[in-house]
Amino acid sequence: EISDGPGSYQSNQQCEWVIESASGVVSLFFESFNLENGYDKLYIDACTDSECNSASPLAGSPFTGTSSPGLLHAQTPYLRLRMETDISVVRDGFKLVYATTAVTDCEPDAVLSHEAGFIRDQEGNYDNGQQCSWEIQGQAGTEVTLKFLDFHTESGWDWVSVEACDAGARR
């Protein structure tokens, strides 16, 4: 989780975060986003090294205003976030969660064992008659937590079920 801190951010602030990904994939999801439109900005760059000597901005960067960037993906070993604010108006800022694994789409019998990650039915709307299942394997003695970042199904017709299992036995 990354944020600019509790409450409103400060005026005339410059902050930088670098996410390293051994898998070469970084996924970000903004839980909240509120910067002074046009004046306070969040730049997001894909980088080939930890110093970001060779940086390429992600599509849409810099981000400003109240429209959340939503879910972003980059195939890069490093991702740099830079927040720059002006000398006057401040807002609530941003909060995001990230994972350094690929987003797992609807796949037959997908098994996930990463510490963190994102799953989705597919990019855009799901298909009629689509059936997806994911098995999430936590480390022994740990708890698996699911957090739904975005959830829309056809009421009364489509659903998602979550089942807990011990050694393959449903409970």
Side-chain angles (χ1 to χ4, degrees), residues 13-171:
Q13 187 174 5
Q14 293 191 0
C15 299
E16 183 175 302
W17 301 265
V18 176
I19 300 170
E20 180 179 3
S21 173
S23 70
V25 176
V26 180
S27 298
L28 306 173
F29 180 78
F30 286 82
E31 293 183 337
S32 62
F33 191 86
N34 185 1
L35 302 180
E36 182 188 12
N37 193 29
Y39 297 96
D40 300 338
K41 299 175 183 174
L42 179 65
Y43 297 84
I44 304 178
D45 301 310
C47 304
T48 57
D49 62 83
S50 62
E51 301 299 317
C52 287
N53 293 316
S54 175
S56 302
L58 260 58
S61 180
F63 300 96
T64 187
T66 57
S67 294
S68 173
L71 183 60
L72 302 174
H73 312 284
Q75 293 193 340
T76 182
Y78 300 92
L79 195 69
R80 176 178 62 190
L81 293 89
R82 291 181 297 122
M83 181 176 163
E84 296 179 2
T85 67
D86 69 358
I87 59 171
S88 61
V89 178
V90 296
R91 300 277 190 256
D92 292 334
F94 71 91
K95 181 178 176 183
L96 66 85
V97 292
Y98 70 92
T100 56
T101 58
V103 172
T104 304
D105 286 330
C106 183
E107 299 173 7
D109 304 316
V111 177
L112 309 173
S113 58
H114 304 291
E115 264 187 50
F118 293 98
I119 60 175
R120 64 181 177 195
D121 55 80
Q122 66 187 35
E123 187 75 44
N125 291 333
Y126 56 86
D127 296 327
N128 288 330
Q130 184 171 344
Q131 294 185 5
C132 304
S133 66
W134 297 270
E135 180 179 328
I136 302 170
Q137 297 177 343
Q139 298 294 324
T142 63
E143 187 175 279
V144 173
T145 302
L146 298 178
K147 182 175 186 178
F148 290 88
L149 304 175
D150 193 23
F151 192 88
H152 303 280
T153 60
E154 184 180 8
S155 181
W157 296 99
D158 301 336
W159 64 91
V160 171
S161 63
V162 177
E163 300 172 348
C165 303
D166 282 323
R170 289 187 171 117
R171 38 179 185 117

